[in-house]
Amino acid sequence: MILIKNARVMDPESGFDQVTDILLDGKRIRQIGKVDDVSGIEQVIDASGMIAAPGLIDVHVHFRDPGLTHKADITTESHAAAAGGVTSIMDMPNTNPQTTTLEALNDKLALLAEKSSVNFSCYFGATNNNYPLFSQLDKNRVCGVKLFMGSSTGNMLVDRMASLRNIFGGTDLLIAAHCEDQGIIKENTDKYKKEYGDDVPLALHPVIRSEEACYRSSALAVQLARETNARLHIMHISTARELSLFSKAPLAEKRITAEACVSHLIFTEEDYQTLGARIKCNPAIKTAEDRKALQEAVNSGLIDAIATDHAPHSLSEKEGGALKAMSGMPTIQFSLVSMLELADKGAFSIEKVVEKMSHAPAQMYEIRNRGFIRKGYQADLVLVRPDSEWTVTTDCILSKCKWSPLEGHTFHWKVEKTFANGHLLYNNGTIDENYRGQELRFR
C-alpha cells in the first residue's frame, strides 16, 4: 500500500478542496481521509503543499504509431503524457495504416498495449464507405468513431452527404468530429495561391481555414446529430461563433458536446509573428477575441472538455508558410501546467481545470472507474506543486520531436508525481520505462 499524506484533494465527493490523505491499495483507491495507523503501508509520500487531482484523461492525441514514427511513437509520447499528469489517452486513427478496418483496430490496440506507459484506447476512423463496420465494434473497447469533416494530416476526409448521414445514423457510439468546410478552405486557398503562388504567408493560415469554414461545418454536424439523435462531440472548437451551437445544460443531459484544446486557449494569431509554424494547427489559431470567448465558455459550460490534439512533427516538417508547413504541435507534457497558469490569471478556477480535463472526459466517454478520486476507483492520480519556478528547455521535452512552442516559457506549477493504476509512473523527472498502462473500458 502507498499512503499519500496531507494533499489538497481535488474531487467533488471529497469536498473538492480539502487537505487530507489518500490510501492506495494495489491498483485502486482504498481510502480518502486521515490515516493514522501506517502499519502495513510500504510507502508514505508527504504531499504537503501539493494538489492531488485525478490523472488527466486526454481524449484527443496523435501518437503517430504505426507508420509515422520518425516524428513520434507510443513509447515516447506516453512518457510525455505521464510527465504532464496525463494517465489515460485516446489515440487518433490517421496513422499508417489508418485505423479504418477491424484488423487495423485490433493491431492498434495490441500495439498500444505493448508500448504505452499510460492507459489507452483509440478511435475507429470513419471513411466514406466503412460505416457498415460500426455494428461490429466492441462498445466496451472502442472509445468512439472519429470523423474528419475537414482534411488534416493523413487526409481521411468524409465529404459525401450520403456517407455523413449513414455515419450519423449508423452508430450509438460517440462521434468525435473535426469540423472544417473543405469547399470554403479550397476557395480561400485558390484565392491566395493566385496572389502568392505556393508560398502563401503563414499569417494567412487562419484566413484560409477561416471562422466561416469552422462554423459552417460544425453547424452541419450539429444538424445531422439532431436529426439522427447521434452522440456528437465536436473537437478543437476555435471560434467564438461556433459556441452559439452548444448548450449550457448539465453534461449528463447533453447529446452534443464541445471541446477546446490547450493551443486555442493559450495562443492567438499574434503569436505567429514570434512562434511561426510551431503553432500552425488545424483548425487554425485565431483571434484574441476567439481565445477569450473559449476561455469564458470553459467557465459557462458551453465547452465541456479540454484536450490537447497533441500532434508532433519534426521541425523540418514545420518549415514553410500557410500551405507547406505541417499542421500540429506537441502539447501533452505541458497541458496541465498551462491550464493551471490560466487559472492563476483568473481565466477559470483550478476546480474547473480538473473538471474539464479529468471528470468530464470520464463522464462523456462513460469510462469505467476513472476520472475521479473515489474509493474503489483506479488509482490514477497526479500530484502538482505550486510556486515551483522552472523553464521549458529542449532537455526536458520527452516527445520524440524534441521541440515545443512553449520552449523558453517559465511555469510556476510543476507536476511532481503521476500514478497510473496505483503505480508511481513518473517521479519528479524520472519515468518508469518498464510499466505499461491498462486498456480503458467503457459503458
Side-chain angles (χ1 to χ4, degrees), residues 172-395:
D172 57 0
L173 285 168
L174 179 146
I175 298 170
H178 175 138
C179 292
E180 291 182 286
D181 187 286
Q182 204 59 31
I184 293 172
I185 292 170
K186 184 179 185 306
E187 182 180 321
N188 291 336
T189 300
D190 291 345
K191 172 184 175 181
Y192 289 108
K193 283 184 76 171
K194 287 180 181 177
E195 184 174 352
Y196 295 100
D198 290 332
D199 294 318
V200 177
L202 183 63
L204 291 173
H205 181 58
V207 179
I208 292 171
R209 302 184 85 99
S210 63
E211 174 195 81
E212 181 66 22
C214 294
Y215 178 80
R216 187 83 62 86
S217 183
S218 292
L220 174 59
V222 168
Q223 175 191 330
L224 291 170
R226 287 175 175 161
E227 289 176 358
T228 59
N229 197 34
R231 175 68 183 89
L232 172 66
H233 178 59
I234 300 187
M235 302 189 126
H236 44 38
I237 297 296
S238 63
T239 72
R241 186 180 177 193
E242 289 170 279
L243 295 170
S244 65
L245 300 169
F246 304 106
S247 164
K248 296 179 182 178
L251 182 58
E253 299 175 10
K254 293 187 182 185
R255 298 286 292 172
I256 299 171
T257 52
E259 166 192 296
C261 283
V262 169
S263 53
H264 295 102
L265 291 169
I266 62 176
F267 297 122
T268 75
E269 61 184 2
E270 295 175 3
D271 294 310
Y272 290 117
Q273 298 175 22
T274 54
L275 294 171
R278 288 191 175 209
I279 62 163
K280 181 175 184 274
C281 58
N282 299 335
I285 303 295
K286 296 188 174 68
T287 68
E289 290 75 19
D290 288 313
R291 179 181 66 177
K292 186 173 188 297
L294 291 174
Q295 292 176 358
E296 291 173 348
V298 169
N299 262 328
S300 70
L302 290 173
I303 292 293
D304 301 287
I306 297 173
T308 63
D309 192 11
H310 176 79
H313 294 286
S314 66
L315 276 176
S316 62
E317 292 171 321
K318 296 294 286 182
E319 295 175 357
L323 304 184
K324 293 181 179 179
M326 297 289 281
S327 292
M329 68 187 93
T331 48
I332 199 166
Q333 186 174 343
F334 311 113
S335 57
L336 176 56
V337 292
S338 292
M339 294 302 95
L340 291 173
E341 183 176 87
L342 283 184
D344 283 343
K345 293 177 179 178
F348 29 68
S349 67
I350 294 172
E351 290 84 354
K352 190 64 69 175
V353 172
V354 174
E355 175 191 338
K356 301 298 183 181
M357 301 184 86
S358 300
H359 303 330
Q363 293 171 312
M364 289 164 48
Y365 285 78
E366 300 179 80
I367 304 172
R368 296 184 196 171
N369 298 323
R370 299 188 194 273
F372 294 83
I373 301 177
R374 290 179 179 169
K375 183 179 178 180
Y377 270 49
Q378 293 295 112
D380 296 341
L381 301 165
V382 55
L383 299 180
V384 196
R385 187 179 294 280
D387 303 318
S388 301
E389 185 172 301
W390 63 283
T391 301
V392 178
T393 63
T394 304
D395 291 343

Side-chain angles (χ1 to χ4, degrees), residues 72-132:
D73 62 54
I74 292 167
T75 299
T76 57
E77 306 319 293
S78 64
H79 289 174
V86 177
T87 55
S88 298
I89 59 92
M90 300 178 194
D91 197 40
M92 289 296 162
N94 51 335
T95 49
N96 185 19
Q98 297 172 342
T99 316
T100 55
T101 66
L102 299 179
E103 180 182 11
L105 175 65
N106 289 329
D107 288 346
K108 180 72 164 288
L109 288 169
L111 190 63
L112 284 159
E114 176 189 341
K115 299 177 69 173
S116 181
S117 294
V118 297
N119 308 313
F120 60 87
S121 184
C122 64
Y123 292 88
F124 186 76
T127 70
N128 276 310
N129 303 306
N130 72 347
Y131 50 85

